[in-house]
Amino acid sequence: MYPNNMRNNKQNAAQNPAQNPAQNRAQNRAQNQVQNSEQNVYNTIDYGPEPFVVNIDMVTKHNPNYRVVLWTGEYLQLTLMSIPPGGDIGLEIHTDEDQFIRVEDGIGVIQMGSSKDKLNYQRNVDGRFAILVPAGTWHNLINMGNKPLKVYSVYAPAHHPKGAVHSTKQEAEEAEKHYYQ
């Protein structure tokens, strides 16, 4: 049951649809996402920069792709990742972006440090952990389990091309060669 104020807000929203066409489009897209989520259908489109609400646990766990850019705004970006057993994101550094990584499912090891050869910060992670990677920090996340490591990542500012979908790490690396040149 909804509390009275929530029930009233829900009824008012149904009786008074948004007047702004952009809001209507965003609401329709969000409603379709919820309906698709309930049917376990996954859309690999970038929903940004429109307002967006998503069951992040569900879409992250159901993502079959190595990387999907789910939402890109002016100042941040949300990506989903599925890292295969024994795989990793690859040792990398983002000089201008802070990164937040949330492990939703699986087990892994995060390595971070001031240089490629000095990854002196290492922690085991699983579905209870969030990882914060400051700009300018070398890092790698390695899947140590026997099933895909499911994570989502927030970059501030955006890091990947809007709407990028990469089925495999190899595909992602190839695309990045062209994008970052």
Side-chain angles (χ1 to χ4, degrees), residues 71-168:
W71 190 92
T72 302
E74 187 172 349
Y75 300 109
L76 62 91
Q77 182 175 65
L78 171 65
T79 65
L80 310 176
M81 293 187 78
S82 180
I83 303 166
D88 65 358
I89 62 171
L91 185 58
E92 62 182 1
I93 186 171
H94 307 298
T95 57
D96 298 321
E97 300 95 10
D98 290 322
Q99 185 176 9
F100 169 92
I101 303 170
R102 171 70 166 105
V103 179
E104 286 296 317
D105 196 26
I107 58 173
V109 172
I110 183 70
Q111 301 172 321
M112 292 188 270
S114 57
S115 70
K116 286 182 176 184
D117 302 324
K118 192 174 181 182
L119 301 174
N120 55 356
Y121 187 92
Q122 182 170 306
R123 299 290 186 274
N124 294 326
V125 294
D126 61 27
R128 302 170 294 168
F129 288 86
I131 303 160
L132 291 107
V133 183
T137 302
W138 285 94
H139 60 283
N140 191 12
L141 178 59
I142 305 162
N143 183 347
M144 302 300 288
N146 58 5
K147 64 181 185 177
L149 181 62
K150 302 290 189 160
V151 303
Y152 67 86
S153 182
V154 177
Y155 297 89
H159 179 72
H160 296 287
K162 180 177 174 51
V165 177
H166 303 118
S167 299
T168 65

